[in-house]
Amino acid sequence: MKQPTGESPVQNHRVGESMNAIHHAHCRFCGTPLQHTLVDLGMSPLCESFLRADQLNQMEPFYPLRVWICGKCFLVQLEEYVSPEHIFSDYAYFSSYSDSWLKHAESYTNLMVERFGLNKESRVVELASNDGYLLQYFIQKGIPSLGIEPAANVAEVAVKKGVPTLVKFFCRETARELAAEGRMADLILGNNVLAQVPDLNSFVAGMKILLKPQGVITMEFPHLPRLMEENQFDTIYQEHFSYFSLWTAEKIFAAHGIVLFDVEELPTHGGSLRIYGRHAEDSTKAVTHRFAALRARECAAGVDRLEVYSAFSEQVKETKRALLDFLIHARREGKTIAGYGAPGKGNTLLNYCGIRTDFIDYTVDRNPHKHGKFLPGTHIPIFEPERIRETRPDYLLILPWNLKNEIIEQNSFIREWGGRFVVPIPHVQVFA
Ligand SMILES: [Zn+2]
C-alpha cells in the first residue's frame, strides 16, 4: 500500500504535537498549512439539502464542520469537502422571500447611484445575483445590469423578472471573457458571496480584470470579530468557506491590486461589513476616515494575534448547554415548541446541539419551495406558516434570529394563547 499523496510518515509521528499538526490542508488565500482550530462543530449535512419524505430512509452525507484559522493571514476557513457545483446546482435559497433584505437592496441601489453617479451609460455586475432581488432596482432606474449566478433554478427566476443573468461561477476566466466582449463594469457587487467562494484568489483576481479603471467594487460579508463577539457560530456552515476581518480582507484584495478605500458596518446578518474597493492605480478615491478607524479598532482588539481567538470554542460549547437546558426544562413542563424559519444557520445550530423532533415538533417557512420537506440531518418537518395558528405552540424558536423583529411582528398573534418567542443567539432569550 502506498501512502496517500501528501501524507508524510515523519509528520505523523512527531511527539508532543496536537492532531492539528498532521493536517495537510492549506490556507485558501496564502497557502500556509492550517494548524489551528477555531472551533469544531462536529459533523453536519449541507445546510440547503432539504429532504423529501421519500429520502428520509436513505443515507445522508455529513461533513466535518471544523473551522480553521490561518496562523499567518488569520483567514478563518473551512475545508472544501463538497464542490460548489454540487452545493449550488439546485439551491433553495431565494433572497426575495425576506422583506427586510429587499429594503436593504433598494436602499443600497439608491446609495450607489447617488454616490458614484451611475446612469444609463454605466454597467453594474452582481456576483451571485440570486433571483434578481437587487439588480431589479438598478434596472428600474434604466442602468444596464448583469447578474452572474451559478444556481440555474434561481437564475431562471431572475430572468423572468427581466434581470439578465449568466448561469456561471465567477472566476478569472469568466472575467476575461466578459472583458473581451467589452462588458467591463463600473460597479461590481457581491453580497454574501465572498464567503462562498472556494477559489478566493481566482475570484478576487477576476474582479480586478472586470473592473473599469475608475470603477468601484462593493462586497458585503459577515464581520468575523462581530460573529465571535456575538456568538454567531451558527452562521458557520459548509457553504461558507471563509470568514473575514477587515484586516484579512484588506490583505486579500491588496494581493490582487485592489485597494479598499471605505467600509460601512451594517446590521445585516448579525453584523456585516460593506467594503469598497478600487484599482490600486486609481487615485480619484481617497481612503476614508471611517475605514482607517475600523482598521485601527480591529488591530487594538488583536485580530492579528492568535490568542485572541482561543476563547471562542468554549463560548460555543456553553451556548449549546444553555440552549439544551432551556429546551429540556420546557419539554419537562409539558410545553410545545415549534421552530420558525429553515435558514442555513438553523441547520448548524440544530445539528450541533442535537435538537430534533424530540424538542421541536416542526418548523415553518415562508418559502413554498421548502414546504413538505425536512431539515437536513435533524429531519424536522417544514410547514407553511399557517401551521402555527392551527397547533398553537407555547414557544416559537426563531432560527433566523437576524430577522427577529420582523418575525415577532408578523407572528404577534401567538400572544392570543400565551405563546412566547425564543431567540437562541447570542444566548437564549424569551420574549413574551
Ligand atoms: Zn492564510
Side-chain angles (χ1 to χ4, degrees), residues 31-91:
T32 302
L34 295 174
Q35 299 186 318
H36 310 280
T37 301
L38 179 70
V39 64
D40 187 346
L41 298 169
M43 299 291 287
S44 207
L46 295 183
C47 76
E48 296 286 341
S49 298
F50 298 96
L51 301 172
R52 297 185 310 267
D54 64 295
Q55 293 173 309
L56 291 178
N57 295 332
Q58 293 171 9
M59 281 201 294
E60 196 180 353
F62 277 59
Y63 303 92
L65 200 45
R66 181 176 189 169
V67 189
W68 299 95
I69 178 164
C70 173
K72 187 176 173 214
C73 73
F74 305 98
L75 179 64
V76 166
Q77 54 199 295
L78 299 180
E79 281 178 69
E80 182 190 344
Y81 295 106
V82 196
S83 75
E85 284 81 2
H86 179 86
I87 294 174
F88 297 110
S89 59
D90 187 24
Y91 206 48

